Amino acid sequence: MIQKSAPLILLMVLLAGSAVAQTDAKTGFGGDFALTDQDGKTFRLSDHHGQVVLLFFGYTSCTEACPIILLRVNSVFKQLGPDRDKALAVFVSVDPQRDTPQVLREYVKYFSAHAIALTGKKEEIDIVVKQYGARYEIEKSDSALGYHISHTTDIYLIDSSGALQSHFDHKESATQIAESVKRLLR
Amino acid sequence: MSRKRVIKVSVLAFASVSCSLALLVEQNSLAKVCSGAGWECVSSIQSATAFEKSSIKADELLIHNAWIQEMPPTSKHTAAYMVIENKSAKETALVAAKAEIAEAVELHRMVTEGNMMRMRRVDRIPLPVGKTEITGDFHIMLINLKSPLKEGDHVALTLEFEGGGSKTLQVPVKKRQGEDGQ
């Protein structure tokens, strides 16, 4: 019985896969996008099919959550061992006013050898933020910084076909994230 | 000591007393910070001057494990962290911090609401009796650094407390460690 229904299940999975394309079937989040990388070149997610992607949002004036996320991602890549080239970390800045490609280049190079940093016009970034269900708010402040950016700190796990699989909050360890990446690479 | 690049700063007038070498806070060493000759030096000088109007004595506020995060060279901002132990019998507060190396030094608090990280400037960091961690949620933000800071540098940081007391420390710059300790 199980053997007979296996092709049917496979067909259903394939159909489901093509129907949802690259968005999560339950939430509708995820999908392809294009932004500008730290070298000023266009980065398109669909150009990286074949790699598992860890996507997250932040800004370089952030001295707390963002370095912590980047160091966690770094730790994930260490735990991937020889499979690390099959994965990619993508940091999307939500502060295009301050985060020029040059600033982003130095920032990601410092914290993680495996991360790409992206920027773009605010409207372009906002589309990606919404697409993945992330949020950020620019808040004016009496701080010498001028403004603070509140942002979600989730890390989104995208499989090698470009489909959003799940996301991790700040409580989940590098080891838990690495295990999920490894499962997708099997 | 001679290997370390010490950032030249103008410190409060009293700190020019010939004790600047001993003012260095030993890195991550609670025992050394609490009982070392360097710490005694800080306390004795400042209790005579900066705490004279304060109801809390200088040696009732101990600062442990102070460090400043090394950031990428293009970053203009960084943060200082420490644990402050209030050994007096009443609550006080950290109300300001100053460092010549930065255009502004502010007290900040990171608040996590759900999965949203919010940053706030605060007027004071309460220091109830016992230890208060200023190690992330609360932090001391150094804004618009006049020159990049590298691991091994030391930065003179003056902490001002409610009631008029202050302490100046030489705080080491270090790399932030990841979850795997690297």
Side-chain angles (χ1 to χ4, degrees):
Chain A
M1 178 64 193
I2 292 171
Q3 278 181 338
K4 279 182 186 172
S5 56
L8 183 63
I9 291 169
L10 183 64
L11 183 66
M12 285 167 69
V13 168
L14 286 173
L15 283 174
S18 61
V20 297
Q22 292 149 358
T23 54
D24 183 275
K26 286 180 198 160
T27 62
F29 288 128
D32 196 18
F33 63 85
L35 288 170
T36 306
D37 75 10
Q38 71 271 18
D39 297 318
K41 294 177 187 160
T42 299
F43 170 96
R44 189 175 293 281
L45 182 65
S46 52
D47 290 343
H48 293 271
H49 285 180
Q51 284 181 299
V52 170
V53 172
L54 292 171
L55 174 75
F56 46 97
F57 299 85
Y59 65 114
T60 71
S61 303
C62 166
T63 59
E64 306 304 312
C66 301
I68 290 169
I69 294 172
L70 278 156
L71 289 170
R72 181 180 299 149
V73 164
N74 224 14
S75 178
V76 170
F77 277 81
K78 277 182 198 162
Q79 294 181 44
L80 292 178
D83 282 340
R84 67 174 73 90
D85 295 334
K86 296 176 190 166
L88 188 65
V90 177
F91 170 80
V92 176
S93 168
V94 291
D95 190 9
Q97 192 178 321
R98 290 189 286 219
D99 288 345
T100 61
Q102 193 211 342
V103 169
L104 288 173
R105 187 161 59 239
E106 294 298 324
Y107 193 81
V108 290
K109 191 171 81 182
Y110 178 85
F111 285 110
S112 173
H114 308 283
I116 283 177
L118 302 181
T119 184
K121 292 179 188 154
K122 186 178 181 303
E123 309 82 72
E124 296 170 329
I125 293 165
D126 288 351
I127 289 170
V128 183
V129 167
K130 200 174 168 188
Q131 215 174 336
Y132 280 82
R135 285 178 297 132
Y136 78 99
E137 292 165 18
I138 297 174
E139 296 167 346
K140 282 189 182 169
S141 166
D142 61 353
S143 164
L145 287 170
Y147 59 91
H148 297 300
I149 301 182
S150 298
H151 63 95
T152 50
T153 53
D154 293 335
I155 299 175
Y156 299 89
L157 177 65
I158 301 167
D159 71 18
S160 55
S161 74
L164 177 62
Q165 286 293 332
S166 58
H167 63 273
F168 307 98
D169 67 20
H170 64 279
K171 295 186 209 84
E172 278 156 302
S173 69
T175 304
Q176 288 171 299
I177 300 170
E179 288 306 316
S180 297
V181 173
K182 283 178 191 169
R183 272 197 293 276
L184 290 182
L185 289 173
R186 270 177 210 142
Chain B
M1 185 39 224
S2 59
R3 285 184 288 117
K4 292 170 184 166
R5 189 154 67 93
V6 177
I7 304 285
K8 275 278 179 190
V9 286
S10 70
V11 186
L12 298 178
F14 61 79
S16 61
V17 178
S18 62
C19 185
S20 59
L21 291 182
L23 280 167
L24 287 171
V25 175
E26 289 293 337
Q27 301 180 15
N28 275 340
S29 169
L30 201 66
K32 283 181 186 170
V33 172
C34 294
S35 61
W39 183 254
E40 292 305 319
C41 177
V42 174
S43 301
S44 59
I45 290 172
Q46 296 195 347
S47 60
T49 52
F51 277 80
E52 59 191 2
K53 290 178 187 168
S54 171
S55 58
I56 290 185
K57 297 188 183 79
D59 59 4
E60 290 177 331
L61 288 173
L62 299 182
I63 290 134
H64 308 297
N65 302 340
W67 65 290
I68 289 174
Q69 179 178 199
E70 182 189 90
M71 290 288 281
T74 47
S75 293
K76 291 181 185 164
H77 322 302
T78 188
Y81 311 95
M82 63 194 63
V83 175
I84 300 183
E85 184 176 6
N86 178 0
K87 295 183 83 174
S88 78
K90 64 175 191 176
E91 177 173 321
T92 182
L94 179 64
V95 292
K98 288 176 182 164
E100 280 288 315
I101 191 76
E103 283 180 17
V105 182
E106 297 175 358
L107 309 179
H108 281 210
R109 183 176 194 183
M110 183 177 75
V111 182
T112 307
E113 290 174 6
N115 58 353
M116 194 89 160
M117 184 280 298
R118 294 185 185 277
M119 202 62 83
R120 294 275 181 271
R121 185 182 179 186
V122 294
D123 295 332
R124 65 198 288 280
I125 297 176
L127 300 173
V129 174
K131 288 181 179 173
T132 298
E133 293 192 356
I134 302 173
T135 54
D137 288 355
F138 281 120
H139 53 278
I140 299 168
M141 193 86 184
L142 283 76
I143 298 167
N144 289 328
L145 295 171
K146 294 171 186 170
S147 59
L149 294 174
K150 277 187 179 172
E151 187 168 46
D153 288 345
H154 284 78
V155 174
L157 183 70
T158 300
L159 306 176
E160 296 182 0
F161 301 97
E162 214 158 63
S166 69
K167 281 178 185 281
T168 299
L169 332 162
Q170 293 285 345
V171 183
V173 177
K174 295 180 179 186
K175 290 181 195 292
R176 183 186 281 273
Q177 291 202 332
E179 290 171 33
D180 52 4
Q182 291 174 27

